[in-house]
Amino acid sequence: MNLRGPLNRPINVVVLGATGSIGQQTLDVIDRNPSRLRLFGLTEGRRSTRRQADYLVQGQAGDVDFDTQVEAMVTDPRCDIVVVAIPGARALAPTMAALTAGKEVALATKEVLVMAGDLVMRAAGERGIRPVDSEHSAIWQCLWGERRESVRRLIVTASGGPFWAHPDLDLDQVSVEQALNHPRWSMGPKITVDSATLMNKGLEVIEAHHLFAIPLDRVTVCVHPQSVVHSLVEFVDGSLKAQLGRPDMRLPISVALFYPERLPDAVPPTPIEELSGLEFYALDEERFPSVRLAREAAAAGQGRPAVLNAANEEAVGAFLAREIPFSGIVRTVEQALAAFPGGGDTLQDILEADRWAREYVRDKSGSLKTK
Ligand code: MG
Protein backbone atom coordinates (compact mmCIF):
# COMPACT_ATOMS: atom_id res chain seq x y z
CA MET A 1 0.00 0.00 0.00
CA ASN A 2 1.30 3.43 -0.87
CA LEU A 3 0.25 5.47 2.13
CA ARG A 4 0.42 8.76 0.24
CA GLY A 5 -1.60 7.76 -2.78
CA PRO A 6 -5.19 7.36 -1.62
CA LEU A 7 -4.92 9.66 1.40
CA ASN A 8 -5.63 13.37 1.25
CA ARG A 9 -4.51 13.79 4.82
CA PRO A 10 -1.37 13.15 6.88
CA ILE A 11 -0.49 9.54 7.69
CA ASN A 12 -1.93 8.56 11.09
CA VAL A 13 0.94 7.06 13.08
CA VAL A 14 0.67 5.03 16.28
CA VAL A 15 3.85 4.89 18.37
CA LEU A 16 4.03 1.97 20.78
CA GLY A 17 6.73 2.76 23.32
CA ALA A 18 6.87 6.54 22.84
CA THR A 19 9.10 7.23 25.85
CA GLY A 20 11.98 5.00 24.71
CA SER A 21 14.87 6.03 22.48
CA ILE A 22 13.25 4.93 19.16
CA GLY A 23 9.86 6.26 20.28
CA GLN A 24 11.32 9.69 21.04
CA GLN A 25 13.10 9.84 17.69
CA THR A 26 9.88 8.78 15.92
CA LEU A 27 8.04 11.65 17.63
CA ASP A 28 10.84 13.92 16.41
CA VAL A 29 10.33 12.75 12.79
CA ILE A 30 6.55 13.30 13.16
CA ASP A 31 7.10 16.81 14.61
CA ARG A 32 9.33 17.79 11.70
CA ASN A 33 6.78 16.69 9.09
CA PRO A 34 3.40 18.00 10.33
CA SER A 35 1.88 18.15 6.84
CA ARG A 36 2.66 14.48 6.16
CA LEU A 37 2.56 12.69 9.53
CA ARG A 38 0.17 12.94 12.44
CA LEU A 39 0.55 11.38 15.89
CA PHE A 40 -2.65 9.36 16.11
CA GLY A 41 -1.91 7.35 19.22
CA LEU A 42 0.88 6.42 21.59
CA THR A 43 1.78 4.38 24.62
CA GLU A 44 3.91 5.65 27.47
CA GLY A 45 5.61 3.77 30.25
CA ARG A 46 6.51 5.43 33.50
CA ARG A 47 7.40 8.82 32.02
CA SER A 48 4.96 11.20 30.34
CA THR A 49 5.58 12.57 26.85
CA ARG A 50 2.96 15.33 27.42
CA ARG A 51 1.60 14.59 23.95
CA GLN A 52 -1.86 15.16 22.50
CA ALA A 53 -3.29 12.34 20.37
CA ASP A 54 -6.57 10.53 19.68
CA TYR A 55 -5.35 7.68 21.88
CA LEU A 56 -3.01 7.86 24.85
CA VAL A 57 -2.37 4.56 26.63
CA GLN A 58 -0.31 4.56 29.81
CA GLY A 59 1.16 1.63 31.64
CA GLN A 60 3.01 -1.57 30.96
CA ALA A 61 2.53 -3.93 28.00
CA GLY A 62 1.37 -7.31 29.24
CA ASP A 63 -1.18 -5.81 31.68
CA VAL A 64 -4.69 -6.73 30.58
CA ASP A 65 -6.05 -3.17 30.67
CA PHE A 66 -3.09 -1.80 28.72
CA ASP A 67 -3.25 -4.53 26.08
CA THR A 68 -7.02 -4.04 25.60
CA GLN A 69 -6.58 -0.29 25.04
CA VAL A 70 -3.67 -0.87 22.66
CA GLU A 71 -5.73 -3.33 20.66
CA ALA A 72 -8.53 -0.75 20.30
CA MET A 73 -5.99 1.85 19.16
CA VAL A 74 -4.13 -0.25 16.59
CA THR A 75 -7.30 -1.74 15.12
CA ASP A 76 -9.00 1.68 14.74
CA PRO A 77 -9.77 2.12 11.02
CA ARG A 78 -8.14 5.58 11.05
CA CYS A 79 -4.75 4.17 12.12
CA ASP A 80 -2.45 3.79 9.08
CA ILE A 81 0.84 2.55 10.50
CA VAL A 82 2.04 1.24 13.86
CA VAL A 83 5.62 1.84 14.99
CA VAL A 84 6.48 -0.95 17.45
CA ALA A 85 9.17 0.24 19.86
CA ILE A 86 8.09 -1.35 23.15
CA PRO A 87 11.18 -3.19 24.36
CA GLY A 88 11.31 -6.97 24.51
CA ALA A 89 8.86 -9.83 24.39
CA ARG A 90 5.94 -7.68 25.60
CA ALA A 91 5.74 -6.16 22.13
CA LEU A 92 4.55 -9.46 20.60
CA ALA A 93 0.82 -9.20 21.44
CA PRO A 94 0.37 -5.60 20.18
CA THR A 95 2.36 -6.40 17.01
CA MET A 96 0.12 -9.38 16.27
CA ALA A 97 -2.99 -7.26 16.93
CA ALA A 98 -1.84 -4.60 14.43
CA LEU A 99 -0.91 -7.16 11.78
CA THR A 100 -4.14 -9.09 12.18
CA ALA A 101 -6.03 -5.81 11.67
CA GLY A 102 -4.17 -5.41 8.36
CA LYS A 103 -2.02 -2.46 9.46
CA GLU A 104 1.42 -1.57 8.22
CA VAL A 105 3.95 -2.28 10.96
CA ALA A 106 7.31 -0.53 11.34
CA LEU A 107 9.16 -2.81 13.73
CA ALA A 108 11.97 -1.70 16.01
CA THR A 109 11.53 -4.52 18.53
CA LYS A 110 13.52 -7.41 17.06
CA GLU A 111 12.56 -9.70 19.94
CA VAL A 112 9.12 -10.07 18.34
CA LEU A 113 10.65 -11.74 15.27
CA VAL A 114 13.16 -13.72 17.33
CA MET A 115 10.40 -15.27 19.42
CA ALA A 116 7.72 -15.85 16.84
CA GLY A 117 9.14 -14.98 13.42
CA ASP A 118 7.15 -17.57 11.47
CA LEU A 119 3.83 -16.56 13.05
CA VAL A 120 4.51 -12.84 12.73
CA MET A 121 5.57 -13.02 9.07
CA ARG A 122 2.53 -15.16 8.29
CA ALA A 123 0.29 -12.54 9.93
CA ALA A 124 2.05 -9.81 7.91
CA GLY A 125 1.42 -11.70 4.66
CA GLU A 126 2.23 -10.03 1.34
CA ARG A 127 2.81 -6.55 2.76
CA GLY A 128 5.61 -7.79 5.04
CA ILE A 129 7.14 -5.84 7.90
CA ARG A 130 9.00 -2.54 7.59
CA PRO A 131 12.25 -2.86 9.55
CA VAL A 132 13.38 -0.02 11.79
CA ASP A 133 16.53 -1.79 13.01
CA SER A 134 19.37 0.05 11.19
CA GLU A 135 21.02 -3.10 9.79
CA HIS A 136 17.73 -4.48 8.51
CA SER A 137 16.67 -1.17 7.07
CA ALA A 138 19.99 -1.20 5.18
CA ILE A 139 19.40 -4.72 3.87
CA TRP A 140 15.80 -3.86 2.98
CA GLN A 141 17.00 -0.85 0.96
CA CYS A 142 19.68 -2.98 -0.77
CA LEU A 143 16.97 -5.48 -1.75
CA TRP A 144 14.57 -2.96 -3.31
CA GLY A 145 14.13 -3.92 -6.95
CA GLU A 146 16.17 -7.13 -6.57
CA ARG A 147 14.94 -10.70 -6.99
CA ARG A 148 15.20 -12.97 -3.97
CA GLU A 149 16.96 -15.69 -6.02
CA SER A 150 19.73 -13.19 -6.86
CA VAL A 151 20.79 -12.98 -3.21
CA ARG A 152 23.76 -15.06 -2.11
CA ARG A 153 24.04 -13.82 1.48
CA LEU A 154 23.23 -11.02 3.85
CA ILE A 155 26.09 -9.42 5.77
CA VAL A 156 24.98 -7.81 9.02
CA THR A 157 27.55 -5.35 10.35
CA ALA A 158 28.33 -5.10 14.07
CA SER A 159 30.09 -2.18 15.78
CA GLY A 160 31.55 -4.76 18.17
CA GLY A 161 30.34 -2.85 21.22
CA PRO A 162 32.62 -1.45 23.95
CA PHE A 163 34.62 -4.64 24.60
CA TRP A 164 35.37 -6.13 21.17
CA ALA A 165 38.46 -3.94 20.63
CA HIS A 166 39.91 -4.88 24.05
CA PRO A 167 40.76 -8.59 23.85
CA ASP A 168 42.69 -8.49 27.16
CA LEU A 169 39.71 -7.22 29.14
CA ASP A 170 38.35 -9.77 31.63
CA LEU A 171 34.63 -10.02 30.83
CA ASP A 172 33.98 -11.35 34.35
CA GLN A 173 35.05 -8.00 35.77
CA VAL A 174 33.49 -5.33 33.55
CA SER A 175 30.99 -2.98 35.22
CA VAL A 176 27.45 -1.97 34.29
CA GLU A 177 28.79 1.52 33.48
CA GLN A 178 31.40 0.09 31.09
CA ALA A 179 28.80 -2.07 29.34
CA LEU A 180 26.45 0.91 28.92
CA ASN A 181 29.18 3.02 27.30
CA HIS A 182 28.53 2.17 23.64
CA PRO A 183 31.13 3.66 21.26
CA ARG A 184 28.77 4.64 18.39
CA TRP A 185 25.06 4.57 19.15
CA SER A 186 23.03 6.09 21.96
CA MET A 187 20.30 3.55 22.79
CA GLY A 188 18.23 2.09 25.64
CA PRO A 189 20.03 0.01 28.33
CA LYS A 190 18.79 -3.43 27.19
CA ILE A 191 20.02 -3.12 23.60
CA THR A 192 23.25 -1.43 24.73
CA VAL A 193 24.11 -4.44 26.91
CA ASP A 194 23.08 -6.73 24.02
CA SER A 195 25.56 -4.85 21.83
CA ALA A 196 28.32 -5.44 24.37
CA THR A 197 27.64 -9.22 24.56
CA LEU A 198 27.09 -9.31 20.76
CA MET A 199 23.75 -11.01 21.56
CA ASN A 200 22.20 -8.11 19.66
CA LYS A 201 23.84 -9.51 16.50
CA GLY A 202 22.61 -13.01 17.31
CA LEU A 203 19.07 -11.66 17.59
CA GLU A 204 19.59 -9.67 14.39
CA VAL A 205 20.66 -12.77 12.44
CA ILE A 206 17.34 -14.40 13.37
CA GLU A 207 15.49 -11.16 12.63
CA ALA A 208 17.03 -10.92 9.14
CA HIS A 209 16.29 -14.58 8.43
CA HIS A 210 12.58 -13.99 9.06
CA LEU A 211 12.23 -10.52 7.53
CA PHE A 212 13.84 -11.43 4.22
CA ALA A 213 13.14 -15.21 4.06
CA ILE A 214 16.86 -16.02 3.73
CA PRO A 215 18.20 -19.27 5.29
CA LEU A 216 20.08 -18.81 8.59
CA ASP A 217 23.39 -20.07 7.18
CA ARG A 218 23.27 -17.31 4.57
CA VAL A 219 23.00 -14.53 7.13
CA THR A 220 26.53 -13.64 8.27
CA VAL A 221 28.04 -11.10 10.67
CA CYS A 222 31.12 -8.93 10.32
CA VAL A 223 32.58 -6.41 12.73
CA HIS A 224 32.73 -2.87 11.37
CA PRO A 225 33.74 -0.51 14.21
CA GLN A 226 32.89 2.75 12.38
CA SER A 227 29.15 1.91 12.04
CA VAL A 228 28.97 3.73 8.71
CA VAL A 229 28.16 0.73 6.51
CA HIS A 230 24.87 -0.31 8.09
CA SER A 231 24.82 -3.73 6.38
CA LEU A 232 25.39 -5.36 2.99
CA VAL A 233 23.90 -7.82 0.54
CA GLU A 234 26.07 -10.08 -1.60
CA PHE A 235 24.47 -11.18 -4.88
CA VAL A 236 25.05 -14.33 -6.95
CA ASP A 237 27.07 -12.40 -9.56
CA GLY A 238 29.59 -11.48 -6.83
CA SER A 239 28.54 -7.88 -6.41
CA LEU A 240 28.07 -6.29 -3.01
CA LYS A 241 25.50 -3.61 -2.23
CA ALA A 242 25.68 -1.60 0.98
CA GLN A 243 23.80 1.25 2.60
CA LEU A 244 25.97 3.87 4.28
CA GLY A 245 25.50 6.92 6.45
CA ARG A 246 26.29 8.44 9.82
CA PRO A 247 24.65 6.52 12.67
CA ASP A 248 21.26 8.21 13.08
CA MET A 249 18.09 6.23 13.76
CA ARG A 250 15.90 8.95 12.26
CA LEU A 251 16.95 7.63 8.84
CA PRO A 252 15.60 4.05 9.24
CA ILE A 253 12.51 5.49 11.00
CA SER A 254 11.86 7.83 8.03
CA VAL A 255 12.50 5.06 5.50
CA ALA A 256 9.94 2.86 7.27
CA LEU A 257 7.33 5.61 7.59
CA PHE A 258 7.58 6.99 4.05
CA TYR A 259 8.27 3.82 2.02
CA PRO A 260 8.37 3.69 -0.99
CA GLU A 261 9.15 7.40 -1.00
CA ARG A 262 12.27 8.96 0.48
CA LEU A 263 11.85 11.90 2.83
CA PRO A 264 13.94 14.91 1.71
CA ASP A 265 16.57 15.85 4.33
CA ALA A 266 15.54 13.11 6.76
CA VAL A 267 19.10 13.37 8.15
CA PRO A 268 22.06 15.60 7.23
CA PRO A 269 24.03 14.16 4.28
CA THR A 270 27.21 12.18 4.99
CA PRO A 271 30.22 13.84 3.27
CA ILE A 272 31.90 11.03 1.30
CA GLU A 273 35.33 12.61 1.98
CA GLU A 274 34.90 11.79 5.66
CA LEU A 275 34.50 8.07 5.00
CA SER A 276 38.17 7.07 5.00
CA GLY A 277 39.44 4.13 6.99
CA LEU A 278 36.40 1.89 7.02
CA GLU A 279 37.42 -1.43 8.62
CA PHE A 280 35.82 -4.88 8.53
CA TYR A 281 36.82 -7.88 10.68
CA ALA A 282 35.62 -11.43 11.17
CA LEU A 283 33.76 -11.99 14.44
CA ASP A 284 35.64 -13.97 17.14
CA GLU A 285 32.87 -16.44 17.98
CA GLU A 286 34.86 -18.05 20.76
CA ARG A 287 35.08 -14.87 22.82
CA PHE A 288 31.58 -13.80 21.76
CA PRO A 289 29.55 -17.03 21.30
CA SER A 290 26.17 -15.23 21.14
CA VAL A 291 25.80 -15.34 17.36
CA ARG A 292 26.48 -19.07 17.24
CA LEU A 293 24.02 -19.68 20.11
CA ALA A 294 21.32 -17.67 18.36
CA ARG A 295 21.82 -19.39 15.04
CA GLU A 296 21.65 -22.84 16.70
CA ALA A 297 18.53 -21.92 18.67
CA ALA A 298 16.77 -20.65 15.56
CA ALA A 299 17.74 -23.71 13.52
CA ALA A 300 16.46 -26.06 16.26
CA GLY A 301 13.19 -24.12 16.65
CA GLN A 302 10.47 -25.57 18.91
CA GLY A 303 10.43 -22.60 21.24
CA ARG A 304 14.23 -22.34 21.54
CA PRO A 305 14.47 -18.84 19.99
CA ALA A 306 11.91 -17.72 22.60
CA VAL A 307 14.07 -19.31 25.33
CA LEU A 308 17.17 -17.57 23.97
CA ASN A 309 15.36 -14.25 23.95
CA ALA A 310 13.65 -14.53 27.35
CA ALA A 311 16.74 -15.93 29.11
CA ASN A 312 18.75 -13.08 27.63
CA GLU A 313 16.23 -10.42 28.73
CA GLU A 314 16.20 -11.79 32.27
CA ALA A 315 19.98 -12.18 32.42
CA VAL A 316 20.53 -8.63 31.12
CA GLY A 317 18.12 -7.43 33.82
CA ALA A 318 20.08 -9.37 36.46
CA PHE A 319 23.35 -7.86 35.19
CA LEU A 320 21.93 -4.32 35.24
CA ALA A 321 20.73 -5.02 38.82
CA ARG A 322 24.35 -6.08 39.56
CA GLU A 323 23.25 -9.59 40.47
CA ILE A 324 25.37 -11.45 37.92
CA PRO A 325 28.66 -10.61 36.16
CA PHE A 326 28.74 -9.49 32.53
CA SER A 327 30.06 -12.85 31.34
CA GLY A 328 27.17 -14.50 33.22
CA ILE A 329 24.66 -13.15 30.69
CA VAL A 330 25.64 -15.37 27.75
CA ARG A 331 26.54 -18.24 30.11
CA THR A 332 23.00 -18.10 31.52
CA VAL A 333 21.44 -18.11 28.04
CA GLU A 334 23.54 -21.13 27.07
CA GLN A 335 22.54 -22.99 30.23
CA ALA A 336 18.86 -22.20 29.70
CA LEU A 337 18.99 -23.50 26.12
CA ALA A 338 20.74 -26.70 27.28
CA ALA A 339 18.16 -27.26 30.03
CA PHE A 340 15.08 -26.51 27.92
CA PRO A 341 13.15 -29.73 27.24
CA GLY A 342 11.79 -28.45 23.90
CA GLY A 343 8.30 -27.32 23.05
CA GLY A 344 6.18 -26.59 20.00
CA ASP A 345 5.82 -23.74 17.52
CA THR A 346 2.32 -22.42 18.23
CA LEU A 347 1.86 -19.03 19.90
CA GLN A 348 0.84 -20.86 23.07
CA ASP A 349 4.04 -22.97 22.99
CA ILE A 350 6.17 -19.88 22.39
CA LEU A 351 4.64 -18.00 25.32
CA GLU A 352 5.14 -21.10 27.47
CA ALA A 353 8.83 -21.35 26.40
CA ASP A 354 9.22 -17.64 27.23
CA ARG A 355 7.69 -18.19 30.70
CA TRP A 356 9.83 -21.29 31.30
CA ALA A 357 13.05 -19.46 30.47
CA ARG A 358 12.27 -16.49 32.71
CA GLU A 359 11.57 -18.76 35.64
CA TYR A 360 14.72 -20.76 34.94
CA VAL A 361 16.91 -17.63 34.94
CA ARG A 362 15.30 -16.11 38.03
CA ASP A 363 15.97 -19.34 39.93
CA LYS A 364 19.47 -19.47 38.56
CA SER A 365 20.62 -15.86 38.98
CA GLY A 366 20.63 -16.21 42.75
CA SER A 367 23.24 -18.97 42.55
CA LEU A 368 25.25 -17.15 39.83
CA LYS A 369 25.52 -14.12 42.11
CA THR A 370 27.79 -16.04 44.46
CA LYS A 371 30.08 -17.43 41.72
MG1 MG B 1 20.59 -3.01 14.96
Side-chain angles (χ1 to χ4, degrees), residues 11-18 26-27 30 38-44 49 51-57 69-70 73-74 76 78-83:
I11 299 167
N12 277 329
V13 184
V14 162
V15 182
L16 303 182
T26 305
L27 296 182
I30 294 170
R38 179 172 164 270
L39 181 63
F40 178 66
L42 70 158
T43 73
E44 321 179 311
T49 58
R51 290 294 177 138
Q52 298 291 319
D54 291 52
Y55 288 85
L56 169 61
V57 184
Q69 290 182 61
V70 167
M73 171 168 69
V74 300
D76 187 307
R78 294 170 294 168
C79 158
D80 298 312
I81 184 163
V82 179
V83 178

Side-chain angles (χ1 to χ4, degrees), residues 172 174 176 311-312 314-332 361 364-370:
D172 278 323
V174 299
V176 169
N312 182 57
E314 293 295 325
V316 169
F319 168 69
L320 289 173
R322 300 171 204 271
E323 291 170 6
I324 64 170
F326 178 77
S327 56
I329 299 170
V330 176
R331 202 155 53 223
T332 301
V361 175
K364 195 98 193 159
S365 54
S367 64
L368 271 173
K369 212 186 298 188
T370 53

